[in-house]
Amino acid sequence: MRILHTIAEVRDFRRSQGQATLGLVPTMGFLHEGHLALVRQARAENESVAVSIYVNPKQFGPTEDLSRYPRDLARDLALLGEEGVDCVFIPDNEEMYPTDFQSGVVVKEITQPLEGARRPTHFEGVTTVVAKLFNIFQPTRAYFGQKDAQQVAVVRQMVRDLNFGLGIVVGPTVREADGLALSSRNKYLTVEQRATATVLHRALRSAEAHWQSGERDSDALRSTMRQLLEAEPLARVDYVSAADPATLGEYAGLIPPGAGALLSMAVFFDRTRLIDNVLLSGDATT
Ligand code: PAF
């Protein structure tokens, strides 16, 4: 497994691969089974696999957790070695954003609701670094997790709008046995918070059960989720949403016949903010 720190090294690596298909898994490190599932999928679908590990400062707001974001590079590299990854790119900030760096990639409407409304600079940071990684690696496919549903929608929009010539592959959310979605931020939870944090999954499953019984009132779906979340004293709801999966626009009242819905939420446990979602298919209409 090649460990590369500079863009020039990545370009040499890519050239040395000739016409081989390349799967890229962009990460911020502190890898968990969710990342490794994406790596395995990339391994199965491409001749060559690259992983980037870079805690991108541009996607953190001034009051967010950049400085305390968990890191364990030695463990990450050991895990990636076991998965047969060909190359790991670990740039520093100067390599990604030299002092005269001036550009940013902005995706407009779809970045405005949900995460974008609470984290106004977040998605520009994500699209800028992801666009750079796509240009640096020229991958055949790039792999993202459905847990960051809005990130997936934003990256897809960027790829369409700016004609990046690659496929975006989305892996399902990987969960603990009790339903908590895997996230590097779970590490911040106290024992009590960790036990309570299953409420995100419980709230989503409950609303999903209502959907499967034919509930199409978006207010009722949001209220089902909110009631369960608010019953947990350690949880503080940031938002709950029932949105159009294509535009991420919030539904008001009845969801149109045949349409699907993205149910999503962000919940604080003290300073730790967790997100989760479930995508409901319109085809399941009863
Ligand atoms: O999902 C993440 O870990 C990050 O947002 C990403 C895609 C690696 C960009 O920094």
Side-chain angles (χ1 to χ4, degrees):
M1 183 170 78
R2 308 263 311 271
I3 297 175
L4 309 178
H5 295 279
T6 69
I7 293 163
E9 286 171 333
V10 175
R11 293 208 193 281
D12 282 349
F13 161 79
R14 192 63 178 117
R15 262 193 298 272
S16 74
Q17 301 271 302
Q19 295 300 307
T21 56
L22 174 70
L24 171 66
V25 185
T27 82
M28 298 205 299
F30 208 70
L31 303 178
H32 51 64
E33 270 302 313
H35 298 111
L36 298 181
L38 296 177
V39 169
R40 285 174 204 134
Q41 191 172 350
R43 181 75 281 164
E45 294 175 354
N46 300 276
E47 289 157 292
S48 184
V49 176
V51 174
S52 61
I53 298 180
Y54 179 56
V55 182
N56 171 36
K58 284 196 187 294
Q59 68 189 76
F60 289 77
T63 61
E64 294 180 7
D65 56 351
L66 173 60
S67 60
R68 68 175 192 134
Y69 195 82
R71 291 161 165 89
D72 191 343
L73 188 55
R75 181 174 168 277
D76 289 349
L77 293 177
L79 289 169
L80 295 176
E82 284 166 23
E83 297 299 335
V85 165
D86 297 280
C87 143
V88 187
F89 179 44
I90 315 170
D92 64 15
N93 288 337
E94 183 55 25
E95 185 68 12
M96 291 302 271
Y97 304 117
T99 40
D100 65 343
F101 186 87
Q102 303 185 25
S103 302
V105 178
V106 176
V107 176
K108 293 184 183 165
E109 286 85 359
I110 207 166
T111 60
Q112 297 307 301
L114 305 175
E115 291 299 295
R118 277 91 191 160
R119 309 179 66 192
T121 57
H122 174 66
F123 284 118
E124 181 171 345
V126 170
T127 44
T128 300
V129 81
V130 168
K132 281 175 69 76
L133 291 168
F134 289 175
N135 283 330
I136 292 165
F137 275 96
Q138 307 274 316
T140 317
R141 300 178 188 85
Y143 293 77
F144 296 86
Q146 173 62 23
K147 185 176 143 302
D148 294 300
Q150 190 173 13
Q151 171 169 279
V152 166
V154 168
V155 169
R156 281 196 157 131
Q157 186 74 44
M158 176 187 80
V159 164
R160 271 199 308 277
D161 289 351
L162 301 183
N163 309 106
F164 282 97
L166 79 166
I168 299 298
V169 183
V170 181
T173 302
V174 179
R175 297 179 181 281
E176 302 278 8
D178 64 4
L180 179 67
L182 296 191
S183 162
S184 306
R185 290 186 168 99
N186 292 349
K187 174 191 160 62
Y188 301 146
L189 299 169
T190 64
V191 173
E192 294 77 17
Q193 290 168 345
R194 168 64 189 82
T196 306
T198 55
V199 71
L200 279 81
H201 182 243
R202 284 187 277 121
L204 289 166
R205 288 286 92 84
S206 174
E208 183 178 27
H210 284 91
W211 172 271
Q212 277 158 359
S213 323
E215 179 63 82
R216 291 297 181 272
D217 180 348
S218 61
D219 298 318
L221 293 168
R222 278 185 292 268
S223 139
T224 297
M225 295 187 281
R226 189 171 277 280
Q227 272 173 26
L228 277 159
L229 294 169
E230 288 180 350
E232 289 292 353
L234 295 181
R236 183 165 53 83
V237 178
D238 191 7
Y239 67 81
V240 293
S241 163
D244 179 326
T247 65
L248 304 190
E250 199 62 30
Y251 282 129
L254 280 184
I255 296 169
L262 177 71
L263 304 184
S264 67
M265 57 184 55
V267 180
F268 280 103
F269 294 84
D270 195 11
R271 287 163 63 205
T272 303
R273 185 174 179 278
L274 302 183
I275 59 172
D276 202 350
N277 70 81
V278 63
L279 189 56
L280 303 176
S281 159
D283 304 334
T285 306
T286 51

